[in-house]
Amino acid sequence: MSSSSLPKTSTTPPSASASDAKRTIFSVLLAISLVHLFNDSMQSVIPAIFPILKETMQLSYTQIGWIAFTINFTASIMQPFVGLFSDKRPTPALLPLGMAFTFTGMLLLALAPSYTAVLVAVVFVGLGSAAFHPEGSKVSNLAAGNRRGLAQSIFQVGGNAGQSLAPLLTSLIFVPFGQFGAIGFTGVAAAGIIVQIFIARWYNGTLKSGALNKKARVARAIKPELKQRIRFAMVVLILLVFIRSWYVSSVGSYYSFLLIDQFKVGVGEAQLYVFLFLAAGAVGTFFGGPLADRFGKRNLIFISMAAAAPLALLLPYANLLWTGILLACVGFIVTSSFSVTVVYAQMLVPGRIGMVSGLITGLAFGLGGIGALVLGNMIDAIGISPVMQICSFLPILGLLTFLLPSDQKLSEWTDGASD
């Protein structure tokens, strides 16, 4: 298909032709970001409902941790496999199909009569997330043109914005309406399915144009003698994802309980402070990509951890006013590297976009779930305040970023394939 066959004014979703290779297709990026917002806002229903489930079902912190672990681990296990499958056999239908799983999970959650039924519901939500993220990241990459950092930020900011809604959902929906309030999100899932059908049509056009095959061929550009060094860099990157995920999980899942215990605030007010952290993280995600395009992806990953470290250490000892200020600052800084980490991983292993994206984002979910489970057990054992103090040291480990090769070195390793 030639680039002239579809006029710019056409209402038909454009296919990715040769002329699209360096053109950033914002309509597709905004659409996939919107669905990412839908997907992650529904996923954020799970932590948002924690205070309600804890009270109505008389759950322990450990049981709360198991719910967080279930959804995150389900998503994390499946994402790399979905990505690997889609790299070998791209399947646009996975996009609306994944949202249908999420629709089912929301319906089951609203009606769940027991703790076991809640776990089953969140498995469906996790499967929907696993189906969406690798393919969504691949769509973002295909629509990026030569602005990969910006494109990944647009994609990820939708997800982080959706995650940031969890505290507001608690205050505005689950406190007044209880668990059944989740029924409203079936409408969000239905809207997501409609948008996904549009995106799947565009994605199918890229397959027919052969653009995806052209991107896949760069996998052969990796020099065989550098594979061991690339594996080591990937291990370091995964460790950094581990550190960031545990810290974000500690704040997102449990900091509201610390505020309730320490400052005697209500559930709704405590959740607003967590919202500050997550919303600032969404803003940081958006700015992180363009900054990484300009100053380097490894540099941005390092700064996001190093600059957050002193503020994170101060956070557990701050009064209520400074808690809000510090949560916003730390959220903005530490999450600014989220999308950058995915793009850096794609540079490490070019031509395996779906698998690598699924691995990194899946690990972020899975390790966050493991963190929530471990932290829940620790809180039951020693109390919430000591655990939050321990977690405040995690961003210091971001110094490990120095073990990663620079962006220039990566370009040399892959013969410029990541350019």
Side-chain angles (χ1 to χ4, degrees), residues 20-312:
D20 290 333
K22 293 186 178 181
R23 182 167 66 90
T24 304
I25 307 173
F26 286 101
S27 61
V28 174
L29 290 175
L30 292 175
I32 199 66
S33 181
L34 177 64
V35 176
H36 203 177
L37 187 149
F38 289 165
N39 181 87
D40 284 25
S41 66
M42 287 182 285
Q43 192 165 318
S44 72
V45 165
I46 310 306
I49 210 171
F50 282 170
I52 305 303
L53 294 177
K54 187 175 188 300
E55 180 179 348
T56 59
M57 294 187 179
Q58 298 298 303
L59 304 181
S60 67
Y61 284 110
T62 299
Q63 288 175 305
I64 292 292
W66 273 111
I67 297 174
F69 173 81
T70 299
I71 183 171
N72 291 325
F73 198 63
T74 301
S76 70
I77 286 177
M78 295 302 298
Q79 279 196 44
F81 292 104
V82 172
L84 184 61
F85 170 81
S86 69
D87 283 337
K88 294 181 178 180
R89 186 178 178 181
T91 309
L94 279 175
L95 293 168
L97 181 62
M99 192 60 68
F101 272 92
T102 304
F103 177 96
T104 303
M106 287 294 102
L107 181 62
L108 293 176
L109 180 63
L111 304 175
S114 65
Y115 176 64
T116 301
V118 169
L119 291 176
V120 172
V122 300
V123 165
F124 274 91
V125 178
L127 290 174
S129 181
F132 167 73
H133 281 94
E135 290 293 76
S137 189
K138 185 179 291 184
V139 167
S140 170
N141 184 275
L142 289 171
N146 58 2
R147 305 175 73 178
R148 294 176 62 187
L150 174 62
Q152 192 67 26
S153 285
I154 293 174
F155 172 62
Q156 294 293 351
V157 76
N160 284 19
Q163 292 172 21
S164 73
L165 295 176
L168 293 183
L169 298 178
T170 302
S171 300
L172 301 178
I173 296 179
F174 296 117
V175 169
F177 298 108
Q179 178 183 338
F180 189 72
I183 195 73
F185 291 93
T186 57
V188 177
I193 292 172
I194 294 172
V195 180
Q196 290 284 54
I197 291 173
F198 162 81
I199 296 170
R201 288 178 60 202
W202 178 86
Y203 188 6
N204 190 55
T206 71
L207 302 181
K208 292 180 178 179
S209 72
L212 193 61
N213 292 332
K214 294 173 185 176
K215 283 179 175 283
R217 283 197 294 268
V218 301
R220 294 195 293 267
I222 299 177
K223 299 175 182 178
E225 65 270 19
L226 294 173
K227 288 186 177 180
Q228 189 63 36
R229 296 168 70 180
I230 289 175
R231 290 192 191 100
F232 174 77
M234 182 62 77
V235 169
V236 174
L237 190 65
I238 289 172
L239 183 57
L240 291 170
V241 171
F242 174 88
I243 294 165
R244 186 184 61 213
S245 297
W246 271 51
Y247 183 76
V248 172
S249 179
S250 72
V251 177
S253 295
Y254 296 112
Y255 217 83
S256 61
F257 294 111
L258 174 66
L259 296 177
I260 293 169
D261 180 68
Q262 188 168 311
F263 297 108
K264 311 304 178 186
V265 299
V267 171
E269 185 178 353
Q271 290 288 327
L272 289 177
Y273 283 86
V274 179
F275 171 73
L276 284 175
F277 174 82
L278 298 174
V283 177
T285 297
F286 178 77
F287 284 102
L291 288 172
D293 283 340
R294 180 176 182 128
F295 298 108
K297 295 168 182 61
R298 189 192 70 167
N299 294 340
L300 197 283
I301 294 171
F302 169 72
I303 291 171
S304 74
M305 302 291 280
L311 302 180

Side-chain angles (χ1 to χ4, degrees), residues 312-341:
L313 289 171
L314 291 172
L315 182 58
Y317 308 99
N319 60 28
L320 194 57
L321 172 63
W322 277 101
T323 292
I325 295 172
L326 289 172
L327 280 172
C329 292
V330 174
F332 179 91
I333 297 170
V334 80
T335 318
S336 63
S337 64
F338 189 90
S339 62
V340 179
T341 306

Side-chain angles (χ1 to χ4, degrees), residues 343-357:
V343 176
Y344 187 92
Q346 292 171 352
M347 291 173 66
L348 270 175
V349 191
R352 295 290 182 266
I353 298 168
M355 186 273 289
V356 170
S357 301

